[in-house]
Amino acid sequence: ALPMVTVVVGCKSEDGVISLLTTAIEADEPRCLEFPVPSKVNPLNPGVPRWANYVKGIIQHYRARPLTGFKAVIASDVPLGGGLSSSASLEVAMYTFLQQICPDDGDLVAKAQTCQKAEHTFASVPCGIMDQFISVMGRKDHALLIDCRSLEVTPVPLTDPNLVVLITNSNVRHTLSGSEYSTRRSQCEAAAKALGKESLRCATMADLEALKASLDAEVYRRARHVITEIKRTTEAAEALKTGNYGQFGKLMVESHCSLRDDYDVSCQELDELVVAAMDGEGVFGSRMTGGGFGGCTVTLVETTAVEKTMQRIKDRYRGTATFYITKPSPGAYVMKLSGF
């Protein structure tokens, strides 16, 4: 749902073999591999290369059968490891390709859930549903409010031509991100259990404060981030609906501070980028995005202030940043190739 894309191009084959090739130079070797179409007797399993696990997971868990053999090439300009949903982009693109050679029932929620399941089981990443949902259901010129409890989605217009979302890639990735994600999730589950709630979505700050003395200090801070972030998210959607970009930006900054101080997933580079972005006119808000410990920030900025904002960041950031000037774009869709 960004202007950057992952594309899968391919066709059926009659030999019962799946042939995959990725053009991503960052991908681990080999970048080309073949394996038989999975069956109940011979299911697919994760292995090497790592990039193929995301694809294998989609093939294994695909919701329609029987699958045939196919040949496919994967190309992407979504930055890997930048917190911009490159894995979900790959999963959803592959699922969308499979829908063309073996149609399923078209259920979008089930499609996103299958992509999430593939990441859980084949990439061993216990991710939430947000990245897959936006990659499946993104709508041009809209943000998407996702209710992870009911799995309802609400498009929120972001059509003002005077606004852009500036993505700034710190171009750093600290090695903590993978293990720390699982740790944060288990801490949140521990907090919910202590509160007697199914999840922290069902808890309030009053619930949390009542048990503060009995909770581990770190678990308390993790829960405080989640509970306050849920409130900020619903408030941000309302602000966007009414065009209150100042309030929306304020909530973005509050979100970053909470991710930094309570959830403890920011890093010095991301903090520098947010501070530099905010220290100028025409900028409404900025925050880290993705799993943290590096990757990208997102900044809501007036179109006329983009160039100055980027230059200010270049001047103040100790590293080398990469910029993407974006608008909300469609989720996955099909392009038919004629003449092939």
Side-chain angles (χ1 to χ4, degrees), residues 124-128 173-189 218-219 221-222 225-226 259-260 262-267 288 290-294:
S124 298
V125 177
C127 63
R173 170 59 59 179
H174 297 290
T175 56
L176 295 169
S177 56
S179 61
E180 290 296 319
Y181 184 96
S182 297
T183 301
R184 297 301 183 281
R185 181 161 184 153
S186 63
Q187 288 172 328
C188 291
E189 289 169 349
E218 197 169 75
V219 170
R221 288 192 293 111
R222 305 299 188 246
H225 164 71
V226 173
L259 286 160
R260 180 193 66 202
D262 278 353
Y263 217 53
D264 197 23
V265 292
S266 188
C267 61
M288 60 157 280
F293 307 105

Side-chain angles (χ1 to χ4, degrees), residues 22 66 85 96 164 200 229 243 294 296 300:
T22 177
S85 309
T96 304
V164 296
L200 291 178
E229 187 78 341
C296 297
L300 187 65

Side-chain angles (χ1 to χ4, degrees), residues 81-108:
L84 299 181
S85 309
S86 59
S87 58
S89 177
L90 173 57
E91 293 153 5
V92 173
M94 179 52 63
Y95 193 106
T96 304
F97 171 79
L98 294 182
Q99 287 177 301
Q100 311 317 302
I101 63 173
C102 181
D104 68 350
D105 59 10
D107 186 322
L108 296 181

Side-chain angles (χ1 to χ4, degrees), residues 2 16 61 65 76 109 124 147 153 156 169 171 179 191 200 215 223 225 232 252 261 269 286 291 307 313 332 336:
L2 291 170
H61 296 306
R65 287 291 188 270
S76 180
V109 171
S124 298
D147 187 331
V153 295
V156 182
N169 194 338
N171 287 307
S179 61
L200 291 178
L215 289 174
H225 164 71
R232 279 188 291 270
M252 288 179 73
D261 300 334
E269 294 89 350
S286 186
E307 293 299 328
I313 292 172
K336 295 289 187 181

Side-chain angles (χ1 to χ4, degrees), residues 307-321:
E307 293 299 328
K308 287 184 177 179
T309 302
M310 291 192 297
Q311 188 59 54
R312 185 169 62 252
I313 292 172
K314 290 178 184 178
D315 292 342
R316 298 187 187 183
Y317 178 50
R318 70 181 64 192
T320 302

Side-chain angles (χ1 to χ4, degrees), residues 58-273:
I58 295 300
I59 296 169
Q60 180 62 38
H61 296 306
Y62 186 63
R63 298 174 56 251
R65 287 291 188 270
L67 275 177
T68 67
F70 64 85
K71 303 177 186 295
V73 176
I74 303 162
S76 180
D77 62 356
V78 183
L80 300 183
L84 299 181
S85 309
S86 59
S87 58
S89 177
L90 173 57
E91 293 153 5
V92 173
M94 179 52 63
Y95 193 106
T96 304
F97 171 79
L98 294 182
Q99 287 177 301
Q100 311 317 302
I101 63 173
C102 181
D104 68 350
D105 59 10
D107 186 322
L108 296 181
V109 171
K111 177 178 179 177
Q113 289 175 311
T114 300
C115 293
Q116 180 194 31
K117 182 179 181 181
E119 189 150 346
H120 286 183
T121 58
F122 274 69
S124 298
V125 177
C127 63
I129 196 70
M130 180 177 69
D131 291 359
Q132 289 81 9
F133 257 48
I134 187 63
S135 295
V136 169
M137 303 179 199
R139 184 182 297 185
K140 182 180 179 182
D141 295 329
H142 287 75
L144 197 68
L145 179 66
I146 302 170
D147 187 331
C148 295
R149 180 169 56 188
S150 67
L151 299 182
E152 294 177 309
V153 295
T154 306
V156 182
L158 184 54
T159 57
D160 193 324
N162 299 313
L163 293 178
V164 296
V165 177
L166 175 65
I167 297 173
T168 307
N169 194 338
S170 68
N171 287 307
V172 299
R173 170 59 59 179
H174 297 290
T175 56
L176 295 169
S177 56
S179 61
E180 290 296 319
Y181 184 96
S182 297
T183 301
R184 297 301 183 281
R185 181 161 184 153
S186 63
Q187 288 172 328
C188 291
E189 289 169 349
K193 184 176 180 180
L195 293 169
K197 305 293 184 181
E198 183 178 349
S199 77
L200 291 178
R201 173 64 187 278
C202 306
T204 66
M205 277 305 301
D207 296 329
L208 184 63
E209 291 300 325
L211 282 182
K212 181 178 180 180
S214 62
L215 289 174
D216 174 83
E218 197 169 75
V219 170
Y220 167 80
R221 288 192 293 111
R222 305 299 188 246
R224 180 169 63 183
H225 164 71
V226 173
I227 294 170
T228 57
E229 187 78 341
I230 290 168
K231 184 173 183 289
R232 279 188 291 270
T233 300
T234 55
E235 290 176 354
E238 290 303 314
L240 207 56
K241 288 176 185 177
T242 59
N244 190 345
Y245 305 126
Q247 175 64 8
F248 186 87
K250 177 175 176 287
L251 292 164
M252 288 179 73
V253 174
E254 289 178 2
S255 174
H256 181 81
C257 292
S258 181
L259 286 160
R260 180 193 66 202
D261 300 334
D262 278 353
Y263 217 53
D264 197 23
V265 292
S266 188
C267 61
Q268 193 168 7
E269 294 89 350
L270 292 173
D271 297 341
E272 282 184 12
L273 292 176

